[in-house]
């Protein structure tokens, strides 16, 4: 499985890069005891079950069952081959692995390779050709300097037909792969044409920072053409699971302590120019639950800054409700004055003023209450009463008593009514909400998380944590870590009842005989991914190092007793069937078998 890279090179990379530092690029980890915990990147969850053991350099999710070492993590997360994962970890740790550095492309997926080549092509056209001059001039008009163009890999799709198609064919890409890349439109006769022409091109990357699609901004003044067009959804690009600038923004979380969600690409770029590196944007569509879960894995601190016009404010309200429904966020909301979007605001007032706006972000409740107040004429008593009723209903949804008290006090002072009178309605609405929750529970309504289905997850049933057998796990642990235990089990001709455990024992025998210094971490690189969870589970359980032959005998006896118990249960079921059929001969036969097993059982 290790492929062409020598084991000593793999070990050099593995031993010099901390798995915690790598996984922290994808998951916000919190130290708990000797381990680090966070929200699993492979399935949606609200309570962290993803654990990283720094001492043993393993990760394990006790929810979906995935586990492994630093290479396994990247293979799962970015769909890399093993050599590619070694290269990526080596790049992360600035480790020179010699001739193997560039032996293979950093992406094996042909569609990613095509999109990466296209990004390079568009960028070179923009910055170094006459054909790219219209795009370059437009970029300069929009305030995009060379540093910004380079950082965001901005390019230009020229007006001329099929320049990209010709270029990629010259790079020996096959037409059937080009047709699936999203970069071309295919006629009914099967002929390919460049999808993007005369557009400023923004590459869209996945979480690993590989280009998976594009968004093209129209340069021509003809409004019959769409202002922006995106790549269609492909095998590598799904708009609902992609965030612009996400791969770069998450690196800035450590210094900026939050992510800022914008409506458009130019807003992210304007924020970057203002010194804010943590900006991200959805793909020109409404925010999705999948994108929110992506953010929650990185940080709970999210600031929303959409356009200041009415549609932007409405979108902010919808987004805030979605964040609150999923829960676990420290949310801030920026509403810019004069209905400006972030790009316009920075141009008009400068980056210092904009950073002040970000620091002064509203809480969701403040935002909702201000929105609510704008719907009523508070100088009219009837409308004022309606506002107060709605405001108290909003506050009643808060779970934090300190927040409840803070906002009741605030609207009491603002509207000149007693806090005690507001509390009467507040208590009424709290009762109603609690009754609604009890009603849901009584009728079996499941929490949202239990119905979650993260389509990016590909958990094999064999790796489900619930299927790990503690007895066989203990014996396998001893089999791997102790020569004496291994020889004792082999001398007694012991076979693991579960074929996966038996396969691992056989693989370890072969591995240990052919390696000078066999270790569990390197063993993971040589076994199928569906078996890695069993090994990681054994390693991340606090297994005692001490053992005796007697313990091994007791574990084997426990397995044998379990076999008998299982067989007895089967016979008892068969006996019930025989009694229903009043089959006297079958009843006698099964009863004898049950008695024999019970005598063996003692």
């Amino acid at each position: 499985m290790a492929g062409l890279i020598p084991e000593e090179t793999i070990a050099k990379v593995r031993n010099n890069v901390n798995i915690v530092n790598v996984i922290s690029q994808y998951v916000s980890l919190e130290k708990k005891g000797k381990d680090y915990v966070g929200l699993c990147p492979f399935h949606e969850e609200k309570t962290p079950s993803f654990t990283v053991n720094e001492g043993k350099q393993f990760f394990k999710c006790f929810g979906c069952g995935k586990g492994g070492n630093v290479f396994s993590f990247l293979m799962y997360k970015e769909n890399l081959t093993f050599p590619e994962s070694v290269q990526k970890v080596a790049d992360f740790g600035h480790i020179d692995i010699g001739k193997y550095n560039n032996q293979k492309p950093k992406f094996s997926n042909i569609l990613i390779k095509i999109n990466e080549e296209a990004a390079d092509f568009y960028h070179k056209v923009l910055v170094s050709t006459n054909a790219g001059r219209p795009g370059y001039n437009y970029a300069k008009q929009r305030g995009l300097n060379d540093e910004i163009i380079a950082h965001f890999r901005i390019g230009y799709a020229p007006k001329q037909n099929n320049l990209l198609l010709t270029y990629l064919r010259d790079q020996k890409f096959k037409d059937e792969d080009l047709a699936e890349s999203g970069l071309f439109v295919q006629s009914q006769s099967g002929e390919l044409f460049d999808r993007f022409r005369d557009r400023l091109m923004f590459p869209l990357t996945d979480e690993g920072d590989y280009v998976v699609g594009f968004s093209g901004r129209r340069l021509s003044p003809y409004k019959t053409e769409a202002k922006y067009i995106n790549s269609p959804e492909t095998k590598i690009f799904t708009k609902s699971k992609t965030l612009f600038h996400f791969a770069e923004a998450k690196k800035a979380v450590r210094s900026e302590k939050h992510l800022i969600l914008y409506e458009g690409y130019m807003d992210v770029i304007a924020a970057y120019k203002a010194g804010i590196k943590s900006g991200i944007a959805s793909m020109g569509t409404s925010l999705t639950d999948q994108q929110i879960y992506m953010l929650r894995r990185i940080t709970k601190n999210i600031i929303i800054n959409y356009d200041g016009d009415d549609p932007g404010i409405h979108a902010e309200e919808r987004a805030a409700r979605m964040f609150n429904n999923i829960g676990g966020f420290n949310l801030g909301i920026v509403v810019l004055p004069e209905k400006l979007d972030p790009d316009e605001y920075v141009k008009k007032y400068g980056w210092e003023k904009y950073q002040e706006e970000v620091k002064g972000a509203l809480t969701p409740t403040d935002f909702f209450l201000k929105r609510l107040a704008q719907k009523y004429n508070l100088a009219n008593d009837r409308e004022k009463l309606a506002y107060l009723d709605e405001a108290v209903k909003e506050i009643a949804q808060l779970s934090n008593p300190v927040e409840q008290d803070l906002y009741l006090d605030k609207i009491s002072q603002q509207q000149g009514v007693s806090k005690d009178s507001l509390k009467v309605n507040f208590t009424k609405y709290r009762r109603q909400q609690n009754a609604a929750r009890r009603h849901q529970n009584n009728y079996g309504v499941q929490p949202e998380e239990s119905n979650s289905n993260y389509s990016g997850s590909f958990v094999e049933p064999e790796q489900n944590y619930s299927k790990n057998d503690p007895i066989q796990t203990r014996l396998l642990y001893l089999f791997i870590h102790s020569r004496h235990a291994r020889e004792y089990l082999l001398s007694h001709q012991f076979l693991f009842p579960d074929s996966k455990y038996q396969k691992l024992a056989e693989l370890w025998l072969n591995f240990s005989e052919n390696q000078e210094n066999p270790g569990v971490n390197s063993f993971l690189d040589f076994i199928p991914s569906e078996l890695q969870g069993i090994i990681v589970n054994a390693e991340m359980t606090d297994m005692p190092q001490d053992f005796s032959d007697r313990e091994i005998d007791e574990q084997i006896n426990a397995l044998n007793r379990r076999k008998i118990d299982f067989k007895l249960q089967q016979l008892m079921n068969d006996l019930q069937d025989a009694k229903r059929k009043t089959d006297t001969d079958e009843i006698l036969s099964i009863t004898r078998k049950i008695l024999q097993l019970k005598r063996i059982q003692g």
Side-chain angles (χ1 to χ4, degrees):
M1 186 176 180
L4 299 172
I5 306 177
E7 171 56 29
E8 56 268 26
T9 303
I10 296 168
K12 174 184 175 183
V13 174
R14 186 194 305 114
N15 296 335
N16 285 280
V17 176
N18 189 336
I19 190 173
V20 173
N21 294 334
V22 174
I23 293 180
S24 291
Q25 301 297 308
Y26 301 83
V27 180
S28 177
L29 296 174
E30 181 181 350
K31 185 78 181 288
K32 288 203 173 176
K34 60 180 174 50
D35 294 331
Y36 290 81
V37 299
L39 293 168
C40 180
F42 305 118
H43 77 289
E44 291 178 2
E45 61 179 8
K46 293 183 179 179
T47 303
S49 61
F50 182 83
T51 302
V52 183
N53 186 301
E54 187 174 27
K56 294 183 177 179
Q57 292 290 292
F58 289 132
F59 75 90
K60 174 74 178 180
C61 176
F62 293 97
C64 71
K66 283 216 182 307
N69 59 15
V70 66
F71 304 132
S72 310
F73 179 85
L74 290 175
M75 289 168 72
Y76 282 130
K77 192 71 193 77
E78 298 189 10
N79 199 25
L80 302 179
T81 64
F82 180 77
E84 290 166 353
S85 71
V86 175
Q87 289 174 12
K88 181 139 190 173
V89 176
D91 291 342
F92 179 86
H94 307 291
I95 298 168
D96 182 10
I97 56 175
K99 65 179 181 178
Y100 300 98
N101 270 333
N102 299 306
Q103 189 170 35
K104 287 188 177 182
K106 65 178 181 177
F107 24 75
S108 57
N109 188 307
I110 190 67
L111 298 185
I112 290 179
K113 184 169 176 57
I114 290 170
N115 277 273
E116 282 279 345
E117 287 283 355
D120 289 341
F121 172 81
Y122 288 140
H123 184 68
K124 286 174 185 173
V125 168
L126 179 72
V127 300
S128 59
T129 71
N130 287 329
R133 187 56 55 184
Y136 191 77
N137 291 338
Y138 176 81
K140 289 295 183 180
Q141 289 170 15
R142 294 298 302 265
L144 307 181
N145 58 32
D146 290 344
E147 179 195 350
I148 293 294
I149 289 170
H151 175 80
F152 289 92
R153 295 178 71 182
I154 297 169
Y156 175 68
K159 288 182 180 180
Q160 295 90 328
N161 286 341
N162 294 346
L163 287 186
L164 177 65
L165 179 64
T166 303
Y167 171 78
L168 292 176
R169 279 174 172 167
D170 287 345
Q171 301 300 308
K172 309 303 181 187
F173 290 110
K174 298 176 183 177
D175 274 16
E176 55 263 37
D177 293 326
L178 296 176
E180 291 188 11
S181 69
L183 292 165
F184 306 97
V185 177
Q186 192 168 23
S187 69
Q188 288 186 341
S189 63
E191 193 175 355
L192 298 178
F193 301 92
D194 286 3
R195 180 180 297 275
F196 300 97
R197 289 196 294 274
D198 194 24
R199 288 181 179 270
L200 198 67
M201 299 299 288
F202 297 90
L204 310 175
T205 62
D206 63 11
E207 198 170 345
D209 209 18
Y210 301 140
V211 179
V212 292
F214 291 88
S215 183
R217 206 288 183 192
R218 182 192 72 216
L219 264 64
S220 75
Y222 304 117
K223 294 188 177 180
T224 52
E225 298 178 20
K227 185 176 180 180
Y228 281 94
I229 60 171
N230 292 335
S231 294
E233 297 209 343
T234 64
K235 291 177 181 177
I236 59 171
F237 176 55
T238 305
K239 284 190 283 188
S240 63
K241 300 175 190 171
T242 308
L243 288 163
F244 179 69
H245 200 237
F246 184 54
E248 286 294 323
K250 65 185 183 181
K251 297 174 186 176
V253 170
R254 287 188 179 182
S255 57
E256 297 186 20
K257 309 301 182 188
H258 55 234
L259 287 168
I260 305 183
L261 181 62
Y262 295 101
E263 259 188 292
Y265 314 131
M266 292 305 297
D267 296 327
V268 173
I269 293 170
Y272 191 88
K273 287 163 59 182
I276 293 171
K277 315 297 185 188
S278 58
I280 51 176
S282 54
M283 298 290 100
T285 57
S286 296
L287 189 69
T288 66
D289 283 347
Q290 292 100 320
Q291 290 166 337
I292 291 175
Y293 277 107
M294 286 169 64
L295 301 180
R296 191 162 179 252
R297 282 193 288 103
I298 303 303
T299 179
K300 66 179 182 179
N301 300 319
I302 304 293
I303 293 174
I304 305 173
N305 182 193
Y306 287 172
D307 295 355
D309 58 12
D310 292 339
I313 299 297
H314 181 73
E316 271 188 323
E317 184 171 0
R318 176 186 175 274
R321 297 285 186 199
M322 290 176 68
F323 277 101
N324 282 350
N325 287 341
I326 288 175
F329 288 96
N330 176 25
L331 199 63
I333 300 173
V334 175
V335 180
L336 295 175
E338 303 171 41
K339 299 188 176 183
L340 297 175
D341 65 35
D343 187 26
E344 294 167 336
Y345 187 93
V346 169
K347 286 176 181 173
K348 185 170 183 178
Y349 293 106
W351 65 269
E352 288 181 336
K353 290 285 289 181
Y354 177 70
Q355 287 190 332
E356 288 176 11
E357 294 283 355
V358 171
K359 289 176 184 175
L362 301 171
T363 67
T365 305
D366 259 331
F367 171 74
F368 291 141
L369 292 177
K370 285 191 176 186
R371 287 274 291 157
L372 194 60
Q374 291 168 359
K375 297 177 183 178
Y376 293 95
N377 175 10
L378 299 180
N380 178 289
D381 287 346
R382 181 176 58 82
E383 292 201 31
K384 182 175 181 177
L385 286 170
Y387 160 73
L388 288 170
D389 191 60
E390 288 294 318
V392 170
K393 194 179 294 183
E394 183 71 45
I395 296 168
Q397 295 179 41
L398 298 172
S399 57
N400 186 331
V402 176
E403 283 186 277
Q404 296 166 3
D405 194 67
L406 174 69
Y407 289 109
L408 286 173
D409 194 55
K410 183 175 285 191
I411 63 170
S412 164
Q413 293 179 23
Q414 287 174 348
Q415 303 305 322
V417 296
S418 75
K419 188 174 177 180
D420 288 340
S421 64
L422 294 176
K423 280 186 173 180
V424 174
N425 278 357
F426 172 82
T427 303
K428 177 184 73 176
Y429 288 127
R430 289 292 290 179
R431 284 201 199 100
Q432 289 176 358
Q433 290 170 13
N434 291 335
R437 290 191 192 100
R438 285 195 298 271
H439 178 76
Q440 285 182 335
N441 293 335
N442 290 340
Y443 282 86
V445 177
Q446 296 298 314
E448 179 185 345
E449 185 183 12
S450 65
N451 292 321
S452 294
N453 233 339
Y454 185 50
S455 56
S457 171
F458 49 102
V459 180
E460 298 83 358
E462 294 86 352
Q463 277 191 292
N464 191 301
Y465 175 63
S466 64
K467 301 238 178 123
N468 280 302
D469 181 349
I471 298 175
Q472 292 187 82
T473 298
R474 173 61 173 163
L475 288 175
L476 182 64
Y477 180 87
L478 295 176
F479 189 91
I480 289 173
H481 286 276
S482 167
R483 179 183 292 275
H484 173 78
R486 183 162 59 252
E487 291 175 350
Y488 186 84
L489 288 165
L490 291 171
S491 67
H492 284 70
Q493 299 181 326
F494 173 77
L495 294 175
F496 288 90
D498 189 304
S499 60
K500 291 177 185 173
Y501 285 85
Q502 181 59 29
K503 181 67 174 176
L504 283 167
E506 292 166 4
L507 288 170
W508 175 258
L509 283 174
N510 180 58
F511 176 76
S512 59
E513 287 170 3
N514 291 289
Q515 297 290 319
E516 188 175 341
N517 295 303
V520 176
N521 211 312
S522 55
F523 180 50
L524 285 182
D525 301 332
F526 286 82
I527 63 175
S529 59
E530 66 268 18
L531 299 179
Q532 291 183 7
I534 295 173
I535 294 293
V536 174
N537 185 64
E539 293 300 313
M540 293 187 69
T541 304
D542 288 327
M543 289 278 184
Q545 300 293 318
D546 297 334
F547 71 96
S548 64
D549 293 350
R550 181 178 176 182
E551 183 201 340
I552 295 177
D553 290 337
E554 288 174 349
Q555 300 282 13
I556 294 173
N557 288 336
L559 288 176
N560 289 333
R561 285 195 303 272
R562 193 162 65 187
K563 284 183 189 176
I564 293 171
D565 291 341
F566 181 72
K567 184 61 179 174
L568 276 172
Q569 185 60 51
Q570 284 184 316
L571 288 170
M572 294 299 291
N573 292 337
D574 292 343
L575 183 61
Q576 292 300 319
D577 287 338
K579 286 179 177 179
R580 276 195 297 272
K581 297 172 185 175
T582 64
D583 187 339
T584 307
D585 291 340
E586 186 68 9
I587 291 171
L588 287 172
S589 174
I590 294 172
T591 303
R592 288 192 198 99
K593 291 176 183 178
I594 291 173
L595 291 172
Q596 287 173 354
L597 285 177
K598 286 194 172 181
R599 278 195 290 270
I600 296 170
Q601 194 180 45

